[in-house]
Amino acid sequence: MTQSKARERRVAADEGEQRLDRWLRRAFPQAPQALLQRLLRSGQIRVDGRRAKADTRLAAGQQVRLPPQLMASEPETRVERPLDPDLVEALRQSILYEDAWVMALNKPAGLAVQGGSGQQQSIDRLAAGLVPQGAPAPRLVHRLDRDTSGVLLLAKRADAARHLAESFKGRQARKLYWALVQGVPKRRAGRIDRSLAKRGAEGRQRMQGDREGLQAETLYATAAIAPPKASLLLLAPLTGRTHQLRAHLEAIGHPILGDAKYGARKDPAFPEQGLMLHAAELALPHPEDETTLRIAAPPPHAFLQACRALGLDPDAAERALPQLEARGA
């Protein structure tokens, strides 16, 4: 039955410190992404009576106004698509670390972290299959692009989720990435300080340098070179903007191999193997006792295969770490 009036829903104690769009997708997984975006743009979804954006951070106890169009999209009996058992098993095999508080995966490239338009399976949903039936599903506390591989951390408890979210928000999490890029940087190590803003028509948006945008900083160090074609870089983002590494590397003239969205050219000599970006390591305070939790993920076969094809030594990444640390990573 179509709802004729808007309703309000209170943010539960264990739902705070997450983005409004993520909260909406969890509450209304059947709602089309286009509908959510339209309702947010038009101000029909409000938080404590005020207009809110998709990236508004919710706090426990706040009231979210849900317009009738959204309530009408919620069927009385929700039919969930079953979890893909092969994907669940692949994720189980990718677990890097697990305790009573957290779970870390070596996320495969090509699998979306969160569901959305056209995404039938995602880690956010598949994670329910990684714990015993009836146990709370592990929760996302940060994101990786669909085509990026590497360390992805999930929280197994509500208090862990809040603690880890604060660590990312407060920049206590140290992230290390490997990237294969086009060309060879003139400066072998440095800092990219370039504010970013989302530009372009909806559905074709990309992050671009903009003085009025959000501050974004990335440290980099060159680990190995194959002049003039390509280099293996270590990257340490000091901020966590959408597509930050991809946009920053395009800005300095060295886009990531396989990243056509951000300037990478197709090269007949290099077989197309997807985005060559890997989240190699993550270190942050453990939510139980604040000791440093450090998790490393080996690069996928496709990344190592690309290194070999280009004549780049992946072991050089470890030797380049001091260069990056000297820059303040």
Side-chain angles (χ1 to χ4, degrees), residues 188-260:
R188 295 303 172 88
R191 178 189 295 256
I192 307 169
D193 187 350
R194 188 178 180 89
S195 296
L196 298 172
K198 191 175 290 185
R199 296 287 180 262
E202 192 166 333
R204 304 176 67 180
Q205 293 174 323
R206 61 198 299 276
M207 301 299 286
Q208 293 182 339
D210 190 319
R211 291 181 180 178
E212 303 301 317
L214 297 172
Q215 179 201 18
E217 292 182 77
T218 300
L219 303 179
Y220 74 90
T222 306
I225 62 174
K229 295 182 71 67
S231 303
L232 170 61
L233 300 188
L234 299 187
L235 306 168
L238 302 183
T239 51
R241 310 305 179 198
T242 301
H243 294 178
Q244 175 176 319
L245 300 179
R246 299 165 65 184
H248 271 177
L249 289 169
E250 180 192 35
I252 66 170
H254 299 288
I256 300 172
L257 291 173
D259 194 2

Side-chain angles (χ1 to χ4, degrees), residues 248-297:
H248 271 177
L249 289 169
E250 180 192 35
I252 66 170
H254 299 288
I256 300 172
L257 291 173
D259 194 2
K261 186 181 184 76
Y262 286 93
R265 305 179 306 276
K266 287 191 175 181
D267 187 342
F270 179 73
E272 185 63 46
Q273 299 189 62
L275 182 70
M276 292 292 107
L277 181 62
H278 175 67
E281 188 173 298
L282 175 66
L284 76 176
H286 193 285
E288 181 181 21
D289 56 12
E290 297 288 324
T291 57
T292 299
L293 174 63
R294 188 181 304 274
I295 302 163

Side-chain angles (χ1 to χ4, degrees), residues 95 98 147 223 226:
I95 295 175
E98 183 178 8
D147 296 321

Side-chain angles (χ1 to χ4, degrees), residues 35 41 66 116 134 191 293:
L35 173 64
R41 282 199 310 272
L66 304 170
R191 178 189 295 256
L293 174 63

Side-chain angles (χ1 to χ4, degrees), residues 147-164:
D147 296 321
T148 301
S149 60
V151 181
L152 182 71
L153 193 63
L154 299 96
K156 295 177 67 176
R157 299 166 41 145
D159 51 351
R162 290 192 294 271
H163 186 283
L164 294 169

